[in-house]
Amino acid sequence: PDVNPGNCWAFRGSQGFAVIRLSSPIRPTAVTLEHIPKNLSPQGTIPSAPKDFAVYGLKEEREEEGALLGQFMYNHDGDPIQTFYLKGEDLGTFQLVELRILSNWGHPEYTCIYRFRVHGE
């Protein structure tokens, strides 16, 4: 509901994933990932922010591996709300989108995501 420090979806370690079911199938065009800015962190750093991540589109839940829509890096020195444009225009529509976090900015115990949004048509 808010982006106060600690009000995040946290998972253990530096790798994890979430699959989001959209209300209807769309052609995803971009995703937005949000973390708190460094100046809101009590330590002045955000090592729990995601670093490298990939986005996949899935047509149905039973799919083992979705279609890769893009691989990106969240810039922990950049704006806290970052939008990344996907390459999957010609791949059709998807009802499920997987966010796969591949690494974080150095926190040994957990990774935090404050908001993840999917944009599309």
Side-chain angles (χ1 to χ4, degrees):
D2 60 55
V3 288
N4 289 318
N7 285 351
C8 67
W9 175 63
F11 58 87
R12 188 181 318 243
S14 61
Q15 296 183 340
F17 70 95
V19 177
I20 294 103
R21 174 180 289 284
L22 306 171
S23 59
S24 61
I26 66 165
R27 185 180 63 82
T29 56
V31 294
T32 299
L33 193 56
E34 184 174 350
H35 197 275
I36 60 167
K38 286 183 175 181
N39 63 357
L40 283 185
S41 170
Q43 299 82 17
T45 62
I46 50 172
S48 68
K51 183 178 180 184
D52 298 304
F53 69 97
V55 178
Y56 293 84
L58 297 99
K59 305 234 184 241
E60 57 186 50
E61 287 183 41
R62 293 185 301 271
E63 278 184 72
E64 297 251 343
E65 187 73 22
L68 178 64
L69 301 177
Q71 191 161 336
F72 309 99
M73 185 177 80
Y74 181 86
N75 180 359
H76 72 307
D77 289 322
D79 192 87
I81 301 171
Q82 298 176 28
T83 299
F84 304 89
Y85 294 91
L86 305 174
K87 66 178 184 185
E89 312 180 357
D90 55 339
L91 297 176
T93 61
F94 301 98
Q95 181 134 22
L96 299 125
V97 174
E98 177 183 347
L99 168 64
R100 194 177 299 176
I101 305 298
L102 307 172
S103 64
N104 68 19
W105 282 99
H107 200 290
E109 295 173 27
Y110 62 88
T111 302
C112 269
I113 296 170
Y114 282 81
R115 278 201 184 108
F116 178 69
R117 301 178 191 129
V118 179
H119 311 279
E121 302 168 346

